[in-house]
Amino acid sequence: MSTEHKQPLSVATLAAIGVVYGDIGTSPLYTLRECFSGNYGFDVRPDQVFGFLSLIFWLLILIVSLKYLIYVMRADHAGEGGIMTLMSLAGRNTPARTATLIMVLGLIGSGFFYGDVVITPAISVISAIEGLVIVAPSYSGYIVPASIAVITLLFMIQKHGTSRVGKFFAPVMLAWFLTLALLGVRSIMIYPAVLQAINPAWALHFFVEYKKLSFFALGAVVLAITGVEALYADMGHFGKRPIQLAWFVVVLPSLVLNYFGQGALLLQDPSSIINPFFLLAPGWALIPLLILSALATIIASQAVISGVFSLTRQAVRLGYLPPMRIIHTSAEESGQIYVPTINWMLYVAVVLVIAFAKHSSNLAAAYGIAVTGTMLLTSLLVTWVAVNTWRWNRVLVGLILAALLVIDVPMFASNALKLFSGGWLPLLLGLVMFTVMTTWNTERFSLARKLHSHGNSLEAMIASLEKNPPVRVQGTAVFMSHITNVIPFALLHNLKHNKMLHERVILLTVRTEHAPYVHNVRRVVIEQLSPTFWRVVARYGWLEAPNMLEIFHRCGLEGLPCQIMETSFFMSHEALILTKRSWLRFLRGKLFITLSRNALRVADEYEIPPNRVIELGTQVEI
């Protein structure tokens, strides 16, 4: 089964422009200005302008066009993309040690992406609002409050869903890219010699001439391709073809024209480096451009936010994050979702970053490590997929990997030098998310093993209950368990305390497959264990939401009719008690207990009516 994108190609392409390319589309606001900010020791001289423009142009071609849109986006799983998808694909049919390494790399990349999501809205919105200083310098004190107001609006509208947001933003973003192109063409026509920077010889000359400084400068140039990971993560929202079409027809030409237009302006007037983007526009157009920029930066943030919603859902279903409420906002596109918990946690983090940074240049130093780190890990994982899944020639894949690493490694190393000047922020955020994901996964596995370590045999227990039955009452009882072939904890406690059993007992396990979707014919497997006991295994992909009504419907089709309002669902609720541990394991245990207390309850996760749920509590030492 695959994700079906029912929209016409033209509509989906326009919507992709409105959501997917917001981040990379607003990079002209600050990229070239940051290159000459003084942090890297460059002056606005012709050879340096040509060098930076050539580097930006070829990064757009090599990284975005060739690496991601043509190579990496081949690694889709039923139409879905993102670092978690890549981790799942790379982990197929691999030895245990290799699978563990792939999991760690995937989770590190996911952590980097979460760090990137916090920085992107902050730097994009502040950069746009800073245009106020060009219009009215006396308004500089309003930059931070205005930025926070824009961010608040952005996060408030997330609940309406990617589809509605995309339909609203698409025309605005199309106008933005057309404006970028027009501003660039206007400047290039005045100084057409700037187009010679397309020649890669200027980039090579830049490295040969400035050597050490050129290496440091990569930390600024990378700002031109921020958001590239988001377009891969957002693939499930719109499909591969619309995203590729939007890039090559609209986004890439507009970006190139604007960057070269800024370069032409700098070659004519080096003093315009204070804000080359806004100074491209004639005086009468500054206020409309400021308004359009503010709207465009809202869209820039939308690209990474919708991407992190997709990543979160994948992590929850794969068991790396605790269950949380995930709201589907479209009846047509399964990839369009809203995650309230993540939305408001991001909002608080972004507001704090804006309040403390105060200026986009302060955030530019923090940008880059998370982006280039994720790019490097993506190169390694997609190489493994190419060899292990696609069965490409190893020599060919080795050459492709070498070419990717020649770009990725220097860019990551250059940005790593920003560690103490702000780069620690996305790394810290990434480390927090990596710790949360690994803690939830390992501690949850340990808890499940402890709960089922009583040593009783399920087959023997069922045989004993059939031979010497306790008091049987009418109706159906469902006992849920994460593992098949073991006695559900709730069943043991029901027999121990209530000393009764329903006339029909279903042992239900909901299993997440290593695939985004499971076909309906494989959804439910039923096995009768005895005259009154049945085992039901419901299979879902990690992009699907389990639903008890659907499971019961499938059971009825397979010959086990069930009515949800005539069934009692027995759940075990564990009160976790932390035993003596080393200090590190103690902290992980505390984190796991906190996550467990705030996780979505099983009944809510599977949409079981509350009046049909019976919870049996017990204390468990971990």
Side-chain angles (χ1 to χ4, degrees), residues 250-261:
V250 176
V251 181
L252 176 61
S254 300
L255 291 176
V256 171
L257 288 171
N258 193 264
Y259 280 123
F260 277 68

Side-chain angles (χ1 to χ4, degrees), residues 41-308:
F42 290 99
D43 300 319
V44 184
R45 288 167 26 192
D47 66 322
Q48 296 177 1
V49 173
F50 284 133
F52 275 118
L53 290 177
S54 188
L55 282 172
I56 290 171
F57 174 78
W58 285 105
L59 278 182
L60 292 173
I61 296 298
L62 297 175
I63 297 296
V64 185
S65 302
L66 296 181
K67 176 182 174 179
Y68 274 88
L69 286 170
I70 294 178
Y71 182 48
V72 174
M73 287 183 75
R74 289 178 59 91
D76 71 295
H77 208 161
E80 294 289 337
I83 192 73
M84 279 282 181
T85 297
L86 204 51
M87 181 183 75
S88 177
L89 287 172
R92 283 179 170 181
N93 306 317
T94 58
R97 285 189 178 181
T98 306
T100 301
L101 176 61
I102 288 171
M103 181 196 74
V104 171
L105 293 178
L107 293 182
I108 292 174
S110 301
F112 279 150
F113 188 68
Y114 278 103
D116 181 26
V117 170
V118 174
I119 303 295
T120 295
I123 191 173
S124 300
V125 172
I126 288 182
S127 297
I129 304 300
E130 281 171 350
L132 277 172
V133 178
I134 303 296
V135 177
S138 60
Y139 285 3
S140 59
Y142 294 96
I143 291 176
V144 172
S147 299
I148 292 176
V150 171
I151 286 295
T152 302
L153 174 64
L154 170 66
F155 282 94
M156 286 180 66
I157 65 176
Q158 291 303 314
K159 63 184 179 181
H160 297 295
T162 307
S163 179
R164 292 183 182 178
V165 170
K167 288 176 182 177
F168 171 75
F169 282 157
V172 176
M173 205 63 196
L174 182 60
W176 168 255
F177 282 115
L178 293 177
T179 302
L180 290 183
L182 289 172
L183 291 175
V185 168
R186 177 175 177 269
S187 182
I188 292 170
M189 290 177 66
I190 298 173
Y191 198 97
V194 73
L195 293 175
Q196 64 185 291
I198 292 176
N199 189 339
W202 282 107
L204 295 175
H205 170 78
F206 186 77
F207 284 116
V208 172
E209 180 71 21
Y210 297 103
K211 299 179 178 69
K212 190 175 180 179
L213 283 180
S214 65
F215 171 72
F216 294 131
L218 291 175
V221 176
V222 74
L223 296 174
I225 57 172
T226 56
V228 68
E229 194 67 30
L231 69 88
Y232 178 42
D234 280 335
M235 185 164 61
H237 290 244
F238 302 102
K240 187 185 305 182
R241 183 89 184 279
I243 292 175
Q244 292 171 332
L245 189 63
W247 172 256
F248 288 108
V249 174
V250 176
V251 181
L252 176 61
S254 300
L255 291 176
V256 171
L257 288 171
N258 193 264
Y259 280 123
F260 277 68
Q262 289 186 46
L265 177 64
L266 292 177
L267 291 170
Q268 298 170 71
D269 180 14
S271 66
S272 62
I273 192 59
I274 57 171
N275 204 316
F277 174 80
F278 281 101
L279 291 175
L280 274 179
W284 60 266
L286 279 175
I287 293 179
L289 183 60
L290 177 63
I291 296 171
L292 183 60
S293 300
L295 291 174
T297 53
I298 292 176
I299 300 163
S301 307
Q302 179 63 46
V304 290
I305 293 171
S306 57
V308 86

Side-chain angles (χ1 to χ4, degrees), residues 460-538:
M461 181 179 181
I462 292 175
S464 174
L465 290 172
E466 293 289 6
K467 185 177 180 180
N468 300 299
V471 175
R472 307 295 291 244
V473 297
Q474 289 184 346
T476 301
V478 172
F479 295 90
M480 301 191 67
S481 175
H482 292 294
I483 306 173
T484 57
N485 300 318
V486 299
I487 305 172
F489 209 68
L491 176 57
L492 286 175
H493 275 258
N494 179 57
L495 291 170
K496 179 179 179 181
H497 296 289
N498 296 329
K499 297 180 174 56
M500 53 76 68
L501 207 58
H502 285 68
E503 62 183 3
R504 186 168 66 163
V505 178
I506 295 175
L507 309 179
L508 174 62
T509 298
V510 180
R511 182 176 292 167
T512 300
E513 299 287 297
H514 286 284
Y517 301 97
V518 172
H519 199 282
N520 284 335
V521 298
R522 297 182 55 243
R523 177 74 70 209
V524 168
V525 175
I526 300 172
E527 179 184 359
Q528 186 166 4
L529 303 176
S530 76
T532 60
F533 277 80
W534 282 262
R535 177 191 289 132
V536 175
V537 178

